[in-house]
């Protein structure tokens, strides 16, 4: 079992994540979504799990200005460290911080084709799907991320 630590994400961490993005995502398409604003402005709601200065998992999020929720924008676990409970550990850490800050729920999104994310959010985290239509047996929000860009929206009330 790994002895790892959860802490607030830093710019140095974000640089490591972006430099090694394929190890987390299997591709580089999300690199530009890892904006420094998640450290500079939302650092309290962005966290990493590290071991020996190597980031094993991370989540970048913020508190919604429209409600009492924590929104996780991006979260990933290094390929070699998946299925060890690190994603759950990280989410639960941020949920506890959100509770202490008076927040009432967690939201996250994914694309309809991201089966691993859907499984994680629904089965591991117990989140429910929100949407305006069914697609392949799951609720989906049409145009959630812009015209023609549908997303699955997950919610967990705590």
């Amino acid at each position: 079992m790994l002895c790892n630590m959860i802490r607030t994400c830093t710019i140095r961490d974000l640089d490591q994540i972006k430099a090694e993005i394929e190890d987390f995502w299997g591709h580089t398409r999300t690199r530009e979504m890892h904006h420094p604003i998640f450290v500079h402005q939302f650092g309290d709601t962005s966290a990493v799990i590290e071991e020996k200065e190597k980031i094993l998992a991370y989540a970048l999020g913020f508190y919604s200005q429209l409600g009492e929720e924590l929104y996780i924008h991006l979260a990933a676990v290094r390929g070699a460290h998946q299925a060890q409970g690190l994603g759950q550990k990280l989410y639960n850490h941020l949920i506890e911080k959100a509770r202490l800050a008076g927040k009432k729920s967690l939201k996250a999104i994914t694309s309809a084709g991201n089966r691993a994310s859907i499984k994680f959010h629904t089965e591991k985290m117990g989140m429910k799907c929100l949407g305006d239509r069914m697609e392949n047996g799951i609720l989906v929000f049409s145009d959630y991320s812009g015209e023609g860009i549908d997303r699955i929206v997950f919610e967990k009330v705590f």
Side-chain angles (χ1 to χ4, degrees):
M1 183 67 174
L2 292 172
C3 178
N4 43 55
M5 179 179 83
I6 299 177
R7 62 172 174 72
T8 301
C9 186
T10 67
I11 287 296
R12 185 173 171 210
D13 298 331
L14 194 60
D15 289 343
Q16 180 186 139
I17 291 164
K18 289 171 74 172
E20 301 169 6
I21 198 81
E22 286 183 77
D23 204 15
F24 291 95
W25 293 87
H27 55 74
T28 61
R29 294 187 304 266
T30 62
R31 182 179 283 132
E32 297 307 314
M33 296 172 71
H34 292 73
H35 197 282
I37 195 169
F38 291 103
V39 173
H40 295 310
Q41 300 302 318
F42 306 119
D44 204 35
T45 51
S46 295
V48 299
I49 295 178
E50 75 163 346
E51 185 175 69
K52 298 179 184 172
E53 298 184 19
K54 183 174 183 175
I55 305 304
L56 305 182
Y58 68 93
L60 306 177
F62 57 87
Y63 294 136
S64 172
Q65 300 300 299
L66 302 176
E68 297 177 308
E69 67 192 26
L70 166 64
Y71 172 76
I72 301 294
H73 179 65
L74 291 165
V77 177
R78 265 185 209 276
H81 298 279
Q82 292 178 2
Q84 297 177 14
L86 296 179
Q88 285 176 282
K89 185 176 180 181
L90 195 55
Y91 264 57
N92 288 332
H93 170 80
L94 290 172
I95 287 169
E96 186 55 31
K97 285 183 85 170
R99 270 193 192 116
L100 292 172
K103 304 305 175 187
K104 308 283 187 210
S105 65
L106 167 68
K107 279 195 178 170
I109 66 170
T110 197
S111 60
N114 192 336
R115 294 184 191 277
S117 180
I118 295 166
K119 184 176 181 177
F120 170 77
H121 286 94
T122 58
E123 294 180 20
K124 300 288 185 185
M125 294 308 304
M127 298 178 80
K128 68 177 183 174
C129 296
L130 308 176
D132 58 13
R133 65 183 174 80
M134 293 294 285
E135 182 177 306
N136 298 322
I138 194 159
L139 276 172
V140 175
F141 260 113
S142 303
D143 302 328
Y144 189 87
S145 290
E147 188 174 339
I149 307 171
D150 304 341
R151 291 289 180 257
I152 296 171
V153 178
F154 304 101
E155 180 183 54
K156 180 178 185 107
V157 177
F158 44 81

